[in-house]
Amino acid sequence: MSRQLLEAIKRYTDTRGGASPWFTAIDDVVIMRADLPHRSQVLFRPSLCVVAQGAKWSAFGDRRYEYGAGQALVVSVEMPAFSRVVQASPDEPFLGVAIGLDPKVLGQLMEELPSPVRPSPGVARGVFVTHYDGPLSDCVLRLVRLLDTPDAIPHVAPLIKREIAYWLLTGPHAADVAKVTLGDPGTRRVVSAVQALRANFAGPMRIDELASIAQLSPSSFHRH
């Protein structure tokens, strides 16, 4: 299945002009390609970031996550990061796809599951690396192939993305997904500050102002 996904992404990038990333006809589905290693600053939104070929790492604060072909980075909370493609060449470029995750869909599915998903007891960082295989791999492949049939996208893409959310909530990292889907007051408040930064990135903002938006004291805001 990974080979098929690799071929589907490569075929898409070979027929496109301009530079990566490509924002596709499917909402919140982005195709990525890099012929050489490079570093970038990224504001991640909730997403499943799949690598079909090559390797990269993404650093959130003081923690770095490495992932390569056959693996995916799952980000469930909006946050900034540094990312670096570490394995790429003109003959074997880095190829990947990022698929947005809708927190509302995740929340609805959690309520509908016959067996409740219990959030993990540890501190939720909102990020983890997992292998994508089985049904999840099939969903990603079908979503990329759907780009070849534009008329079907509005009818089929939402169903496949909902299926992806289902497999994440019933897979080995279900407890982590549940924790960040439900969230906690501190996480939700910090996310509101991140959104304010994104909306006002061109102007100065004081830490006290961000803490106020998050409804936290400056010390608590820093700790979260």
Side-chain angles (χ1 to χ4, degrees):
M1 190 66 72
S2 296
R3 187 67 194 177
Q4 292 174 300
L5 179 61
L6 167 61
E7 292 171 353
I9 295 176
K10 188 174 187 302
R11 184 171 62 252
Y12 180 90
T13 63
D14 286 345
T15 60
R16 291 297 182 279
S20 171
W22 289 276
F23 295 86
T24 72
I26 303 176
D27 287 342
D28 294 329
V29 174
V30 180
I31 301 292
M32 297 163 290
R33 174 174 177 153
D35 292 336
L36 295 170
H38 70 89
R39 184 173 179 173
S40 59
Q41 269 184 293
V42 183
L43 179 61
F44 278 94
R45 296 191 182 187
S47 55
L48 172 71
C49 306
V50 168
V51 177
Q53 180 169 273
K56 70 185 301 184
W57 57 255
S58 295
F60 300 83
D62 59 356
R63 180 164 294 193
R64 193 167 85 172
Y65 299 83
E66 299 179 357
Y67 47 111
Q71 294 181 304
L73 179 78
V74 179
V75 182
S76 301
V77 179
E78 184 174 6
M79 66 182 88
F82 285 102
S83 289
R84 180 173 178 82
V85 172
V86 294
Q87 184 180 329
S89 69
D91 292 332
E92 293 190 0
F94 171 88
L95 296 169
V97 54
I99 301 167
L101 300 175
D102 188 337
K104 291 182 180 178
V105 171
L106 287 166
Q108 290 170 357
L109 279 171
M110 283 186 63
E111 294 179 357
E112 296 171 7
L113 291 175
S115 300
V117 181
R118 299 191 179 279
S120 58
V123 176
R125 290 181 175 268
V127 183
F128 60 87
V129 173
T130 185
H131 290 276
Y132 66 92
D133 50 21
L136 187 59
S137 176
D138 178 63
C139 287
V140 176
L141 176 60
R142 284 189 283 121
L143 198 61
V144 174
R145 283 180 170 173
L146 192 61
L147 294 169
D148 294 331
T149 53
D151 290 345
I153 287 175
H155 308 287
V156 181
L159 301 177
I160 299 177
K161 292 171 76 174
R162 182 180 175 85
E163 188 178 346
I164 288 173
Y166 172 83
W167 293 120
L168 286 173
L169 283 169
T170 57
H173 294 280
D176 297 313
V177 177
K179 182 68 176 283
V180 295
T181 299
L182 292 174
D184 60 74
T187 299
R188 290 195 295 270
R189 290 170 180 172
V190 171
V191 168
S192 68
V194 172
Q195 292 170 340
L197 278 171
R198 177 160 49 84
N200 300 283
F201 70 93
M205 294 194 75
R206 297 177 57 82
I207 293 298
D208 288 351
E209 183 180 353
L210 290 171
S212 177
I213 291 171
Q215 299 179 16
L216 294 167
S217 68
S219 60
S220 293
F221 177 74
H222 177 75
R223 185 166 60 254
H224 281 285

